[in-house]
Amino acid sequence: MGVWYKKYLQVYERPFAEAPQAVVEEVRQKIAGLQSENPVVTVSLIGYNEEKHLLACLWSLSEMQCKYPVEIIGVDNESKDRTAEIFRACGVPYYTETQHSCGFARLCGLNHARGKYHINIDSDTMYPPKYVETMVDALERPGVVGVSSLWSYIPDEEHSRWGLKLYEATRDLHLWLQSFKRPELSVRGLVFAYHTDLARKTGIRTDIIRGEDGYLALQLKQFGKIAFVRKRRARAVTGYGTVGADGSLFNSFKVRVVNGLRGIGGLFTKKKEYKDEESNLVKKK
């Protein structure tokens, strides 16, 4: 994993009060220079109480290198901290979504998107310079209606660097194999992009806590292919919110391996349903 994100760590996991004003002004100017009145792609960031992460995310996005016209917008899921203030300080147009969930927040971003393509961005994640361009390149291919990529975790003192590498390599392999027949199960909202108009036709589920991204991918499959990008320039870097849900890194690894083995037969069959891991609801196309 490269160190392209190293400088952004100086404001990651830190309150906005500690952010250097020079950084805030730099981000503001660079984002203003990126914003297009006729965007091909809309990048929408969703955030709920992401004060300690949002500036780092915006800083990474402000340095994107993209040949396509872009607009960057935000969705504040009615945060109690300074999330909305950071959007304003960085000059990012944002909308307040009062109904709380990733589904409601992503739907709000989709409804306000002006671009042909819509890219979901999580505020606690940092994205490499060519991320947006690489995702749109994939969406420009004939027959592709959605695209998902991969992500890494920020190394720290609590997680072994080699343990992370093993975990990520195994997870990546499983997601890649799964993507051939069941791409909706390999999609994650922090690294997902799709055709705006098609997503508006299907909508985004708001009745589940997690899984709205995979269900959207399942619905989009009726229109074309969900591509899977493994290029390093499309690999995001994030914290431990998802991997920490099962406890230690080892336990998280074990849980995912066991679940993967249970469903290994599904890697080679196409199904017309998506099971949400939180609500256990099974929805069909």
Side-chain angles (χ1 to χ4, degrees):
M1 184 167 57
V3 292
W4 56 266
Y5 60 87
K6 186 176 181 181
K7 72 176 182 179
Y8 310 134
L9 295 179
Q10 63 185 292
V11 296
Y12 194 82
E13 286 289 1
R14 295 182 183 275
F16 188 50
E18 297 179 9
Q21 190 56 41
V23 170
V24 177
E25 186 57 32
E26 176 189 333
V27 173
R28 182 184 182 89
Q29 290 181 6
K30 288 183 175 179
I31 285 181
L34 288 169
Q35 299 282 32
S36 171
E37 283 301 312
N38 298 290
V40 168
V41 54
T42 296
V43 177
S44 69
L45 298 82
I46 64 168
Y48 175 68
N49 292 343
E50 291 289 359
E51 176 189 347
K52 292 185 177 181
H53 306 126
L54 179 56
L55 182 57
C57 176
L58 286 171
W59 195 359
S60 71
L61 288 177
S62 76
E63 299 193 318
M64 78 167 72
Q65 300 165 15
C66 186
K67 63 190 177 188
Y68 303 99
V70 174
E71 73 165 342
I72 300 172
I73 63 175
V75 177
D76 173 33
N77 209 180
E78 205 176 36
S79 301
K80 308 304 180 187
D81 63 4
R82 301 176 73 179
T83 295
E85 183 182 341
I86 296 171
F87 279 132
R88 290 194 296 271
C90 294
V92 176
Y94 74 96
Y95 305 89
T96 302
E97 174 53 64
T98 58
Q99 300 180 88
H100 293 185
S101 80
C102 286
F104 280 117
R106 295 200 197 286
L107 183 59
C108 179
L110 175 64
N111 287 338
H112 288 95
R114 293 183 297 159
K116 176 182 179 181
Y117 306 118
H118 183 229
I119 298 186
N120 293 337
I121 294 287
D122 280 3
S123 296
D124 62 350
T125 304
M126 294 167 284
Y127 297 83
K130 288 286 188 178
Y131 176 79
V132 172
E133 182 175 284
T134 304
M135 298 293 269
V136 177
D137 280 345
L139 285 168
E140 288 277 274
R141 298 203 302 262
V144 173
V145 297
V147 58
S148 186
S149 65
L150 293 165
W151 68 100
S152 291
Y153 296 100
I154 303 167
D156 63 14
E157 295 178 357
E158 296 180 17
H159 298 85
S160 159
R161 185 176 293 271
W162 289 108
L164 278 177
K165 285 184 179 295
L166 175 62
Y167 172 83
E168 290 172 4
T170 307
R171 178 209 61 194
D172 293 354
L173 177 61
H174 179 255
L175 292 176
W176 176 63
L177 290 172
Q178 194 170 239
S179 71
F180 288 98
K181 297 292 186 180
R182 303 293 307 281
E184 67 275 11
L185 299 182
S186 294
V187 164
R188 298 295 183 272
L190 78 163
V191 283
F192 190 30
Y194 43 82
H195 283 247
T196 303
D197 59 342
L198 296 180
R200 284 180 178 153
K201 285 182 181 179
T202 66
I204 295 178
R205 284 182 66 186
T206 57
D207 60 327
I208 51 179
I209 299 172
R210 290 169 62 185
E212 80 289 336
D213 39 25
Y215 189 74
L216 173 58
L218 179 65
Q219 298 304 298
L220 290 173
K221 278 172 62 177
Q222 65 187 293
F223 302 110
K225 180 183 179 183
I226 306 297
F228 192 66
V229 175
R230 294 190 295 157
K231 296 175 180 176
R232 184 163 294 277
R233 60 178 178 266
R235 192 180 190 97
V237 176
T238 192
Y240 294 89
T242 52
V243 75
D246 300 308
S248 67
L249 177 67
F250 174 76
N251 196 54
S252 181
F253 176 77
K254 182 176 68 175
V255 167
R256 283 156 173 76
V257 168
V258 169
N259 288 341
L261 289 174
R262 283 175 180 165
I264 196 165
L267 298 182
F268 309 104
T269 59
K270 292 184 179 180
K271 295 185 179 180
K272 294 187 177 181
E273 63 184 27
Y274 179 81
K275 186 174 183 180
D276 170 57
E277 47 189 64
E278 283 289 325
S279 65
N280 289 322
L281 291 173
V282 175
K283 298 288 184 179
K284 297 185 178 181
K285 274 189 179 180

